[in-house]
Amino acid sequence: MKTRAVTILMAVYNPNLSWLEEQLASLNAQEYAPIELLVWNDCPGERESDALIKQEIKNFPYKIYHAEKNLGSNGAFERLTELAEGDCFAYCDQDDIWHVDKLQKLVEVMEREHATLVCSDMRVIDEMGNVTADHIIEVHPHQTFVEDEGQLETLLSRNFVTGCTMLVQRDIAKKAVPFMPYMVHDHWLALWNAVYGRIAVIHDALIDYRIHGNNQSGILAGIDTKADYREKRCYAYLQKMLALSAYTFDGRVNVMIRARLLWAEARYRYLLRPGFANFWRILTNCRFDIPRSLFELALPLMPRFLFERVIQRIKEGKL
């Protein structure tokens, strides 16, 4: 197997120090080499995490960068991607636990499959570290992996690559900078790899993914009303497609983005003011996401109590 120098890119912001200590210990225990760690502390003035890094990381070199102002997770990972010089980049959160063979298996599959991005499944743990699910799909039923030619088309609707599980080749990661502001960094990097490289999936769980009340993202987080759904889901997706349409990919990809943009416009306009024209545009393009399209077509006629119940069941992973 070809040896690839791996740079772990870790973003830290006001961490739970106990969880950070567990994460750092799991990085230090990695069986793979060579590794280096770059940490971006995105909380100006916070230095407690620095002491933990110095305490826990003994087996490979590290560097700590301190933000002068908060950049947010996308900005932090973008800066780390600019700074990193390894052959491959492994993106890291502050509150998970990596299995000791994580990097070894990611590199092996990247080499064997000639992939530019490799991601894995996750075991789910709670605040106390108790295992609550052996696979992420048990908690997030919609997070199904795609391994065929449909990767790009899927990524234009939803992301199936979780940042804390992925290993990305340096050249494509660097090419993706600056990150697009309307996509989380892992979704953006996955899209670029679907266009310019190849994504491989490991179905084994290689990390313990901690789900707690302060996770940055979640299914339908912050959506309680129909107006919330329209603005935070449909308008946000429209903004994403508008931004993507400004990029120059190859002709095939641009055609796919243009079709998604028309679908996104119809969805948002229909929820603003229901009418047959946009109803028909959604229906004729529902192949992009059949469950979402059918739900949104019914949404204007859906009683509030039913909407709230459906949203709650989706948040709970029951739909």
Side-chain angles (χ1 to χ4, degrees), residues 142-314:
H142 300 282
Q143 193 163 338
T144 54
F145 295 110
V146 179
E147 299 182 74
D148 55 24
E149 294 180 357
Q151 288 181 335
L152 176 58
E153 189 165 352
T154 298
L155 287 164
L156 289 173
S157 291
R158 64 172 180 85
N159 187 24
F160 60 86
V161 175
T162 304
C164 53
T165 74
M166 68 185 185
L167 183 70
V168 187
Q169 283 192 9
R170 170 185 171 176
D171 56 345
I172 294 186
K174 294 278 191 181
K175 191 175 182 179
V177 174
F179 292 172
M180 202 257 277
Y182 298 107
M183 276 187 173
V184 179
H185 74 283
D186 52 10
H187 195 174
W188 181 239
L189 287 165
L191 182 68
W192 273 76
N193 278 271
V195 174
Y196 295 110
R198 183 173 183 275
I199 299 173
V201 175
I202 298 175
H203 291 280
D204 296 331
L206 297 184
I207 76 164
D208 287 349
Y209 178 66
R210 196 184 304 267
I211 293 183
H212 51 85
N214 296 318
N215 283 87
Q216 187 177 38
S217 60
I219 301 297
L220 299 182
I223 294 177
D224 300 302
T225 67
K226 292 183 181 182
D228 289 340
Y229 183 92
R230 183 188 68 228
E231 298 302 319
K232 295 181 180 180
R233 294 287 286 185
C234 295
Y235 184 63
Y237 183 76
L238 175 57
Q239 286 183 304
K240 187 185 300 181
M241 290 300 106
L242 283 168
L244 273 179
S245 66
Y247 286 82
T248 303
F249 298 105
D250 65 38
R252 177 183 64 95
V253 177
N254 291 336
V255 168
M256 294 172 67
I257 292 170
R258 178 61 181 167
R260 297 293 180 129
L261 175 58
L262 295 174
W263 178 61
E265 289 174 339
R267 290 168 56 208
Y268 182 65
R269 290 173 180 172
Y270 177 74
L271 294 185
L272 271 178
R273 183 176 297 177
F276 178 76
N278 287 315
F279 179 97
W280 183 249
R281 290 189 185 99
I282 297 171
L283 187 63
T284 55
N285 290 289
C286 69
R287 67 187 182 281
F288 294 143
D289 192 320
I290 293 174
R292 183 180 300 180
S293 295
L294 296 179
F295 173 73
E296 291 170 4
L297 288 173
L299 188 55
L301 300 177
M302 193 178 294
R304 186 177 70 179
F305 80 89
L306 180 57
F307 169 82
E308 292 173 350
R309 183 170 182 178
V310 170
I311 293 297
Q312 186 58 38
R313 288 182 68 81
I314 293 173

